[in-house]
Amino acid sequence: QDELLVDKSTINAYDYSLIKKPVSHNSPIKQLKSIKNSEELNAYKTAFSKTDKTMNSIRKFIEKFDNLSEFDIAEKLEELFYKYGAKSLSFKPIVAINENSALAHYSKSSKEVILKEGDLLLIDCGAYYESGLATDITRVFVKGKPTKLQKKVYTMVLKAFLNAFNSKTHIGYEKDLIAHSILDNSIEGFAFSHGLGHGIGINVHEAPPALNQSETAKLEIQDGMTFTIEAGLYNSNHFGVRLENSCYKKR
């Protein structure tokens, strides 16, 4: 053959350096993997119904009990995932209170940080079930009554999600622009500091598709592709709100 197909992410640097033929980085395997058939989509719906049960139960847990640390909530979250049929977790959950929720990749789950009345809690988590497909979801809760600022930020993030989700475009690049047009400079001190979403499947992060400002995101989202939309606003002196929902384009 005149052309060699290589996935650079699955080969070590030395072996890659030995390749002399012209290399194509357009992986047909990734493309096939990104488009889910009807059985995979149904399996995903089942998996997310179980993930939803976990999130509903953790909400009731934090409403019922006081003096819970991030660590306590993370421990209970894992217990609930397995209770509702998870085989393993998709990744180490993010359980973050107040300022910690403004850190997009916070994963410490501190024993010292305690959820108090009026505090905001962000949980980013997911699991694998029988189908072998990863779920990924982010939800935000407030212990007790939310403040005006908490409600304002949450509402703005929800608005960005809904506009991106309901937009007629099937280009991830354009959906990302829509979310940023709503969130950027919307609330003083708060910023949307990451891409809008990513592909999801056997791996919790896959591409295609992509919803950001990359070249991959300029490709059309095809029927059967599954992806996240996760708009957010963050202020390191206050808190962060991210609402992540996993979606698919109907076949």
Side-chain angles (χ1 to χ4, degrees):
Q1 291 185 351
D2 295 328
E3 187 179 53
L4 187 65
L5 300 177
V6 176
D7 184 349
K8 194 175 180 180
S9 65
T10 63
I11 187 172
N12 65 53
Y14 176 74
D15 288 346
Y16 186 76
S17 71
L18 298 176
I19 299 171
K20 304 301 180 184
K21 292 183 178 181
V23 173
S24 172
H25 296 292
N26 296 320
S27 170
I29 295 174
K30 284 185 177 179
Q31 184 68 19
L32 288 169
K33 185 179 175 186
S34 69
I35 299 174
K36 277 63 176 179
N37 60 33
S38 57
E39 288 188 7
E40 289 174 306
L41 292 174
N42 286 333
Y44 243 141
K45 291 175 183 178
T46 298
F48 270 102
S49 70
K50 295 176 180 179
T51 294
D52 287 344
K53 289 178 181 177
T54 297
M55 299 309 290
N56 187 49
S57 293
I58 200 68
R59 178 181 62 81
K60 292 178 179 177
F61 176 72
I62 64 174
E63 287 175 350
K64 183 177 180 180
F65 295 99
D66 296 325
N67 299 314
L68 296 171
S69 68
E70 292 176 340
F71 181 83
D72 294 331
I73 297 166
E75 289 275 288
K76 185 64 176 180
L77 181 69
E78 184 170 353
E79 175 191 317
L80 289 167
F81 266 121
Y82 288 116
K83 175 183 175 180
Y84 291 115
K87 303 300 181 182
S88 66
L89 301 184
S90 302
F91 53 94
K92 184 178 180 182
I94 296 172
V95 178
I97 296 171
N98 290 346
E99 291 91 344
N100 292 338
S101 64
L103 305 173
H105 299 291
Y106 178 81
S107 59
K108 182 181 178 181
S109 297
S110 171
K111 292 182 179 180
E112 284 72 49
V113 180
I114 306 298
L115 185 68
K116 302 181 296 296
E117 191 75 11
D119 284 350
L120 181 141
L121 169 70
L122 181 148
I123 299 177
D124 186 342
C125 59
Y128 285 102
Y129 300 87
E130 192 69 34
S131 64
L133 296 167
T135 65
D136 191 5
I137 189 172
T138 306
R139 291 292 181 264
V140 171
F141 309 100
V142 172
K143 178 75 170 177
K145 186 177 180 180
T147 66
K148 287 184 178 180
L149 180 61
Q150 288 169 343
K151 289 191 287 187
K152 183 178 181 180
V153 175
Y154 186 98
T155 301
M156 189 61 67
V157 172
L158 179 59
K159 178 182 177 181
F161 163 76
L162 290 172
N163 275 267
F165 177 77
N166 290 313
S167 64
K168 293 182 179 180
T169 179
H170 298 300
I171 307 296
Y173 185 94
E174 294 175 0
K175 286 185 179 290
D176 181 79
L177 287 177
I178 290 168
H180 274 279
S181 71
I182 293 169
L183 295 175
D184 291 348
N185 303 312
S186 60
I187 299 176
E188 186 177 356
F190 284 81
F192 180 26
S193 52
H194 54 76
L196 182 62
H198 56 83
I200 187 171
I202 294 172
N203 299 315
V204 73
H205 280 235
E206 294 186 352
L211 288 78
N212 50 40
Q213 295 301 292
S214 69
E215 286 301 310
T216 302
K218 293 181 180 178
L219 301 174
E220 183 173 354
I221 298 170
Q222 297 182 34
D223 293 353
M225 283 187 170
T226 48
F227 54 93
T228 69
I229 295 180
E230 45 187 300
L233 280 173
Y234 311 91
N235 182 318
S236 59
N237 294 319
H238 293 283
F239 55 82
V241 169
R242 181 167 64 257
L243 300 178
E244 179 180 17
N245 294 281
S246 292
C247 315
Y248 72 97
K249 186 181 176 188
K250 288 186 178 181
R251 298 182 64 85

